[in-house]
Amino acid sequence: ALLFVCSVTQAQNVLTVRCNSLRPDSINKEIIPYFDAGCEGENVTWDFSADNETPCDTTLFAIYYTGNKILWDYNGSLDTYLQRNDSLLLCRKESPLYEMDYHEPVVCMTYPFTYGCSISNRFSGTGSYEGKLSLSEQGMANVVADAYGRIILAEGDTLRNVLRVSTARNADVSIINHETTEDYGTLQKATDIYEWYARGYRYPVLRTIEERI
């Protein structure tokens, strides 16, 4: 089930399929230590100049198409998406140790999307860890454009008319050893993502991810 709520005003920064959907591309991103995402609301100033001035690493993100699927390749991991009408769906995640196929995909974005818009949907999937543990995941994803304003980046660079999108995913993950059939029970997994979109940029200019188990 999907709940999508939105009211678009032209003066606001609006994310659209044409300007912000995933396209074949390669992007070099700087990796910095995690920092607090700041407050929500209108006309916010996020001053991260002291937080992100020293990158600890860089990584290459590659986006390419295979048939109707969109693949996002990064750090040895691969995410598979589908663009279905105006919605971007996460259908699969995999890494050298982990894989998860979502039979009920995660709705990551529905266009157009601007301040005040929100999406809520249930998702579920099955997968494995290290080829030995069978995983079953069920959860809820909530996406909200919760703030807009200006962002101050490293070296004092300032971007205006920036939209922040927050994503909260909470899931129960059941784990069974499929070799011994031992049931390891269920754990709770929480993922919080914050993304800042500036007008004129297809992808977020800044993104934070926090995962808790």
Side-chain angles (χ1 to χ4, degrees):
L2 170 67
L3 176 62
F4 175 52
V5 178
C6 193
S7 176
V8 177
T9 301
Q10 284 301 114
Q12 297 175 352
N13 186 0
V14 181
L15 306 185
T16 65
V17 171
R18 178 181 178 183
C19 296
N20 300 103
S21 60
L22 298 180
R23 292 286 187 269
D25 209 342
S26 59
I27 313 159
N28 275 306
K29 289 286 188 180
E30 295 179 342
I31 300 175
I32 57 178
Y34 179 81
F35 55 88
D36 185 80
C39 62
E40 62 183 51
E42 303 177 14
N43 299 313
V44 178
T45 296
W46 298 282
D47 187 352
F48 297 138
S49 57
D51 296 297
N52 58 17
E53 61 186 2
T54 308
C56 58
D57 201 358
T58 60
T59 189
L60 177 67
F61 291 80
I63 304 170
Y64 52 95
Y65 286 4
T66 299
N68 65 340
K69 297 179 180 179
I70 307 167
L71 305 183
W72 180 288
D73 192 346
Y74 61 100
N75 289 342
S77 298
L78 189 67
D79 293 350
T80 301
Y81 296 89
L82 283 175
Q83 183 73 48
R84 184 175 297 166
N85 298 323
D86 291 334
S87 295
L88 180 66
L89 311 179
L90 174 62
C91 301
R92 177 178 170 85
K93 292 183 70 71
E94 61 181 288
S95 70
L97 298 177
Y98 166 87
E99 62 180 32
M100 178 64 64
D101 286 296
Y102 291 104
H103 313 302
E104 291 183 276
V106 183
V107 181
C108 301
M109 179 60 63
T110 295
Y111 303 100
F113 206 74
T114 190
Y115 178 66
C117 292
S118 64
I119 309 165
S120 296
N121 86 288
R122 296 187 180 277
F123 61 89
S124 63
T126 55
S128 64
Y129 182 77
E130 292 189 329
K132 298 179 180 179
L133 302 180
S134 296
L135 308 177
S136 178
E137 182 174 336
Q138 294 186 359
M140 175 68 74
N142 295 287
V143 184
V144 182
D146 66 352
Y148 69 86
R150 64 174 185 156
I151 186 171
I152 305 174
L153 299 172
E155 301 177 355
D157 295 336
T158 300
L159 296 174
R160 303 180 187 278
N161 201 2
V162 175
L163 178 71
R164 189 178 76 175
V165 177
S166 68
T167 300
R169 298 176 190 156
N170 295 281
D172 293 326
V173 183
S174 301
I175 307 171
I176 296 176
N177 188 320
H178 65 74
E179 295 180 345
T180 66
T181 69
E182 183 178 0
D183 189 341
Y184 293 116
T186 301
L187 57 82
Q188 284 73 48
K189 182 175 72 171
T191 304
D192 293 321
I193 304 171
Y194 289 92
E195 298 171 305
W196 286 262
Y197 290 86
R199 181 169 288 178
Y201 293 80
R202 177 171 296 277
Y203 306 112
V205 295
L206 186 63
R207 189 174 195 243
T208 70
I209 303 176
E210 182 183 16
E211 292 188 327
R212 305 180 303 279
I213 296 178

